Every structure is written in structure tokens, then in C-alpha cells.
């Protein structure tokens, strides 16, 4: 595999991503209504806001009453249900003023049956035996883009450039990136990097080669395996082996996106509470403390415990106080404080003497900073002494501020799903 040819922004090492579902976020479902949530998200420690597609949705073969966000009819326009281009530009300005960044979803593999290109450039799409447009797979509300057409690729990159130049966005989340050929994404990044430095490139894929164009990729395998662990179908040792394989399969500078939910998972597979049961918060702790980039989906801070409808309005009814706001704030603050090493040393050491009892313990060292994470991912209470000469020092529990001295042995007691995150004191 070829090493990445682009430079990853330093801030990704300690960053985080929050996925925004504009349609369901407020009763109005608009950019302007969402803006009222920016102070809350900033206080929680959110750094990068990823907006699901903001483009107009096709009318032909539309699913449900509102259609799929990913059935785009114009890559250079705003969905009028969300507001105007002026509204979006204003929102981007407010996001930047709050010290946050914004990336938008980009769908390069398919488009709506009534996409503007079907009239101006029908040759941009593949055709069936009758010469008509055809959908990819069984996704019958969209049609397949012809990736062999060089003019189409140039037009798609021009559309991507439009959002950077006109709206000052900070990057892209590429939907199903691996369905679009890698050379396209490399060309896109080569052309767009001079337009704005330090763009964020997130690929929805687990293909290692796509890190030739992208900095961040998904960890679908981890998500599925931890669900299997929660259902007692596999051992914890299997999950640790997967993490080690990730280190072998992916470039050293690759950032991986860890998550317990997103728009697809929530709507189609179930909420994190359905999938993980009592392990939900522990696995969120893992996402925020293991090397990579954690993702939080709209409403997880409530927490939202319902599957959101995908093609229809289904409001996330945020309370005045979100129960997990401070939980995520504590974790995201820890990341900024300890993981801002600008590409320096970043190592993880697993302590595996207790994995047969589903106790996950690891130490992460970033330069002079060190955090110790302990969690019970099993179904039984655990009480025992953790003995290891590498477990030494004074630590502070980030959730209750206790100072704990560990002289190479630590008495641990955790109920199923319970965890401790200890930060080494200077």
C-alpha cells in the first residue's frame, strides 16, 4: 500500500466530530434553528461539525414524505427545507466564530433521478440495456454515476470547490467513498488543497488504500465486533486482536473514526442502547480515549433512545439539560488536554491478564501525558487486584477528581459496563 501523499492536519490527533442531522434536530429543521445549539455544543467540547447532505432532494422515486438525504438533485444548491444559501453561509460564519469547524457530506457515487445533470449531461450516468438510467444495487431512489467519464469527475470536483470558495467549509465526509474510484478522490484533494489549507477528509470506508487520499476512515469492524461482544458471542481478546490488526493494515498516520452510533446505525440497526445495552457508556469512553477520532451522533448527549425515521420528520426532542452533556464534555476536554501532541509519540499498552474476565485495561501515552482506562465489558461484577509494574504513578479520576496512587498494584471493583479513566498527574 502506498503511503499517504498528503499532510494530515495536526489538530485531528486530538479532535472530535459531531454529526448533525438538520432535518430532525429542531422542530423547524433549519440552519437558523440549529444555530441556537452552537453555544451548547461548544461548551460540550465539540470541534468538528459534520452535516449530513444539505443539498436538494430528488422528487422522482422519493422515499417517504421527505426523501433520502443521499438522493441529491443538485450538488451546487441548498435544500430549501433547511433554508437559503445565505442562511447556510451565516451558519458557517457562526460555527467559525465559535472556534469550531464544519464539513459536509459528499455523495459522489450516485444522484437523484431528477438531478440537474440528467438534463444537461445525461452521459454522466450509466445506462441499462434500454439506454435509460439505472440504480446502483437495489437503491431505487438514485441512479449510478459513470465514474469512467472524465468530464463528470471534473464537474464533481468543481462542485466541491464551490462550497469551499463560496461558503468557506472545512472539508468533506465522503459517503461510501470506496464506491467511487480512488484516483478521483486523489485528484479532488490535489485540486482542493491549494484552495484552502488543512481541509478535513473523512472517508466512509475501511479500505486502507483510501488513505492515499483521506486522513480519517471508518471502523465498521470494531463497531460490529463490540456489538458481538455485548451479545456474548465473542471474547474480548478477539476485539483486542482486531485493534492490533488495524495497526498492521492501515498506515501509521491514518486516523480511524470510532463510534457507537451514526445516522445509518440509529435508523436501520438500532440505537446504541439496543445494540450494546449496559456497555454503551464504556464503549463511548473507548471511542474518546483510544487513538483515533471519536464521533458523536445528534442526540447521543441526551441520550436519545429512539430510532429516528430516515425519510420522514422525526424530531430529536432535546431537553433543557442533556444528561450526558458533562460526560462527553469531560472526555472531550481530556482529549484536548492530553492528546495535543502535534504528531509526537502516541502509544497504547494493553494489560491483558484480565481479558478472560472481559476487563479491558490500556494505558495511552502521548508525549509526557498518560491516561489509564479500565472498563468491565462483561456481564459479571469484577473485583480484584490489577498487578503490573508498568501501572505506577499518581492519577486523577477524571469523573470524580479523586487522586489515586498506584504503586504497581491497583485494587479494582467494577460492575458490568462500569469504567474508570485516570489521568496521570504531573
Amino acid at each position: 500500500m502506498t503511503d499517504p501523499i498528503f499532510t494530515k492536519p495536526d489538530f485531528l490527533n486530538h479532535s472530535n466530530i459531531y454529526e448533525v442531522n438538520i432535518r430532525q434536530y429542531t422542530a423547524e429543521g433549519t440552519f437558523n434553528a440549529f444555530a441556537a445549539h452552537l453555544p451548547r455544543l461548544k461548551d460540550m467540547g465539540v470541534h468538528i461539525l459534520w452535516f449530513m447532505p444539505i443539498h436538494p432532494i430528488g422528487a422522482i422515486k422519493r422515499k417517504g414524505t421527505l426523501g433520502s438525504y443521499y438522493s441529491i438533485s443538485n450538488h451546487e444548491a441548498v435544500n430549501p427545507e433547511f433554508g437559503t444559501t445565505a442562511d447556510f453561509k451565516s451558519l458557517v460564519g457562526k460555527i467559525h466564530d465559535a472556534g469550531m469547524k464544519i464539513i459536509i457530506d459528499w455523495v459522489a457515487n450516485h444522484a437523484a433521478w431528477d438531478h440537474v445533470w440528467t438534463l444537461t449531461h445525461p452521459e454522466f450516468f450509466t445506462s441499462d440495456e434500454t439506454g435509460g438510467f439505472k440504480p446502483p444495487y437495489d437503491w431505487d431512489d438514485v441512479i449510478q454515476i459513470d465514474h469512467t467519464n472524465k468530464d463528470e469527475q471534473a464537474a464533481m470536483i468543481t462542485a466541491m470547490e464551490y462550497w469551499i470558495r463560496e461558503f468557506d467549509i472545512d472539508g468533506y465526509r465522503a459517503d461510501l467513498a470506496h464506491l467511487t474510484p480512488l484516483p478521483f478522490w486523489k485528484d479532488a484533494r490535489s485540486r482542493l488543497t491549494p484552495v484552502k489549507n488543512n481541509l478535513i477528509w473523512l472517508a466512509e470506508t475501511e479500505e486502507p488504500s483510501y488513505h492515499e487520499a483521506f486522513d480519517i476512515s471508518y471502523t465498521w469492524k470494531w463497531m460490529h465486533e463490540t456489538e458481538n461482544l455485548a451479545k456474548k458471542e465473542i471474547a474480548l481478546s478477539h476485539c483486542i486482536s482486531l485493534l492490533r490488526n488495524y495497526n498492521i493494515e492501515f498506515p501509521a498516520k491514518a486516523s480511524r473514526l470510532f463510534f457507537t452510533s451514526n445516522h445509518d446505525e440509529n435508523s436501520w440497526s438500532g440505537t446504541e442502547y439496543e445494540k450494546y445495552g449496559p456497555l454503551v457508556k464504556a464503549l463511548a469512553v473507548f471511542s474518546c480515549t483510544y487513538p483515533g477520532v471519536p464521533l458523536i451522533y445528534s442526540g447521543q448527549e441526551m441520550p436519545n433512545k429512539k430510532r429516528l425515521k430516515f425519510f420522514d420528520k422525526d424530531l430529536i426532542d432535546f431537553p433543557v439539560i442533556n444528561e450526558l452533556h458533562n460526560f462527553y464534555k469531560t472526555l472531550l476536554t481530556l482529549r484536548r488536554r492530553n492528546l495535543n501532541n502535534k504528531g509526537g509519540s502516541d502509544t497504547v499498552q494493553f494489560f491483558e491478564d484480565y481479558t478472560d474476565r472481559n476487563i479491558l485495561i490500556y494505558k495511552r501515552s502521548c508525549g509526557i501525558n498518560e491516561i489509564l482506562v479500565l472498563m468491565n465489558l462483561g456481564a459479571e461484577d469484577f473485583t480484584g487486584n490489577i498487578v503490573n509494574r508498568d501501572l505506577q504513578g499518581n492519577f486523577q479520576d477524571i469523573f470524580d477528581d479523586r487522586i489515586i496512587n498506584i504503586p504497581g498494584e491497583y485494587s479494582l471493583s467494577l460492575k458490568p459496563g462500569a469504567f474508570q479513566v485516570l489521568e496521570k498527574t504531573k
Side-chain angles (χ1 to χ4, degrees):
M1 181 177 59
T2 305
D3 289 333
I5 59 176
F6 302 102
T7 302
K8 182 177 75 172
D10 285 338
F11 61 76
L12 288 183
N13 290 331
H14 60 282
S15 194
N16 61 77
I17 298 176
Y18 183 96
E19 182 184 5
V20 179
N21 186 332
I22 282 289
R23 173 185 293 172
Q24 315 297 20
Y25 214 90
T26 62
E28 301 86 347
T30 63
F31 299 129
N32 290 339
F34 171 77
H37 288 263
L38 290 177
R40 174 179 67 80
L41 294 173
K42 176 180 173 62
D43 180 74
M44 196 168 80
V46 170
H47 184 207
I48 301 168
L49 294 167
W50 151 30
F51 281 69
M52 292 169 65
I54 61 170
H55 309 97
I57 294 171
I60 298 177
K61 301 193 178 185
R62 173 178 288 195
K63 292 182 181 292
T65 56
L66 297 176
S68 169
Y69 319 81
Y70 295 85
S71 179
I72 292 170
S73 63
N74 189 341
H75 280 82
E76 294 187 43
V78 163
N79 186 342
E81 297 170 22
F82 299 162
T84 65
T85 54
D87 293 337
F88 183 63
K89 185 173 289 188
S90 173
L91 178 59
V92 173
K94 292 175 181 177
I95 290 169
H96 288 162
D97 288 345
M100 294 185 280
K101 297 180 181 294
I102 173 174
I103 63 177
I104 63 174
D105 229 314
W106 198 260
V107 186
N109 179 66
H110 48 269
W113 286 83
D114 46 354
H115 192 282
V116 292
W117 287 346
T118 61
L119 298 177
T120 59
H121 293 285
E123 72 278 8
F124 284 1
F125 302 92
T126 60
S127 57
D128 60 20
E129 61 277 1
T130 68
F133 302 128
K134 65 177 184 180
Y137 311 106
D138 60 349
W139 308 342
D140 54 8
D141 61 335
V142 294
I143 54 177
Q144 178 65 54
I145 289 173
D146 183 359
H147 298 307
T148 67
N149 189 305
K150 298 298 183 183
D151 290 336
E152 181 279 325
Q153 292 186 11
M156 186 67 78
I157 296 173
T158 296
M160 296 176 75
E161 184 174 350
Y162 165 76
W163 293 96
I164 300 171
R165 290 193 182 278
E166 295 299 319
F167 298 90
D168 197 28
I169 67 164
D170 301 299
Y172 292 98
R173 178 265 187 185
D175 179 65
L176 295 169
H178 53 279
L179 297 185
T180 302
L182 178 57
F184 165 81
W185 295 115
K186 293 170 74 172
D187 288 345
R189 185 159 183 177
S190 293
R191 177 167 158 181
L192 299 179
T193 295
V195 178
K196 185 173 183 178
N197 289 327
N198 287 327
L199 289 173
I200 300 158
W201 292 85
L202 164 62
E204 185 193 14
T205 187
E206 267 199 297
E207 293 291 336
S209 63
Y210 273 66
H211 278 279
E212 294 179 30
F214 292 90
D215 296 317
I216 317 171
S217 62
Y218 272 49
T219 56
W220 288 115
K221 293 178 182 177
W222 170 258
M223 186 207 69
H224 291 307
E225 292 295 53
T226 50
E227 183 177 357
N228 292 335
L229 175 67
K231 294 176 179 177
K232 307 178 184 64
E233 295 174 358
I234 62 170
L236 177 58
S237 58
H238 185 88
C239 296
I240 295 176
S241 294
L242 174 60
L243 294 172
R244 289 197 168 114
N245 287 336
Y246 275 159
N247 291 336
I248 296 171
E249 295 170 3
F250 286 80
K253 293 184 179 180
S255 290
R256 313 301 311 288
L257 188 74
F258 287 95
F259 51 92
T260 57
S261 187
N262 58 37
H263 64 277
D264 281 322
E265 283 302 305
N266 172 274
S267 294
W268 305 119
S269 299
T271 71
E272 62 268 38
Y273 294 89
E274 293 177 69
K275 296 194 304 178
Y276 301 118
L279 305 188
V280 169
K281 290 180 69 175
L283 291 171
V285 166
F286 175 89
S287 295
C288 291
T289 57
Y290 192 77
V293 179
L295 171 71
I296 302 169
Y297 180 45
S298 296
Q300 283 194 274
E301 68 272 30
M302 289 173 52
N304 172 46
K305 295 186 179 181
K306 72 172 181 177
R307 299 189 187 196
L308 299 173
K309 296 177 182 178
F310 203 80
F311 307 119
D312 304 283
K313 182 69 176 179
D314 193 9
L315 177 65
I316 303 170
D317 192 10
F318 285 99
V320 175
I321 298 176
N322 292 285
E323 179 183 332
L324 299 184
H325 178 96
N326 286 333
F327 168 74
Y328 281 111
K329 179 177 180 178
T330 299
L331 288 167
L332 299 183
T333 301
L334 174 76
R335 287 181 60 79
R336 288 197 309 273
R337 188 167 60 238
N338 282 270
L339 309 181
N340 188 6
N341 60 345
K342 297 185 177 180
S345 63
D346 189 350
T347 61
V348 171
Q349 179 182 358
F350 290 103
F351 301 94
E352 299 182 66
D353 291 342
Y354 309 90
T355 55
D356 60 339
R357 296 184 61 182
N358 289 316
I359 304 300
L360 177 62
I361 305 173
Y362 57 91
K363 179 175 70 174
R364 184 173 178 188
S365 303
C366 298
I368 63 171
N369 300 317
E370 186 174 299
I371 58 174
L372 179 63
V373 181
L374 312 97
M375 59 182 66
N376 183 351
L377 299 180
E380 305 292 336
D381 289 0
F382 175 87
T383 299
N385 288 332
I386 308 300
V387 181
N388 193 295
R389 65 181 181 182
D390 291 329
L391 292 177
Q392 296 191 34
N394 291 316
F395 294 84
Q396 184 169 21
D397 188 312
I398 69 168
F399 290 107
D400 64 16
D401 295 331
R402 286 182 302 141
I403 300 297
I404 301 170
N405 175 261
I406 302 179
E409 181 174 344
Y410 182 48
S411 179
L412 181 66
S413 180
L414 293 175
K415 292 186 176 299
F419 50 84
Q420 287 188 340
V421 181
L422 308 180
E423 179 180 11
K424 196 167 188 178
T425 57
K426 305 299 187 291

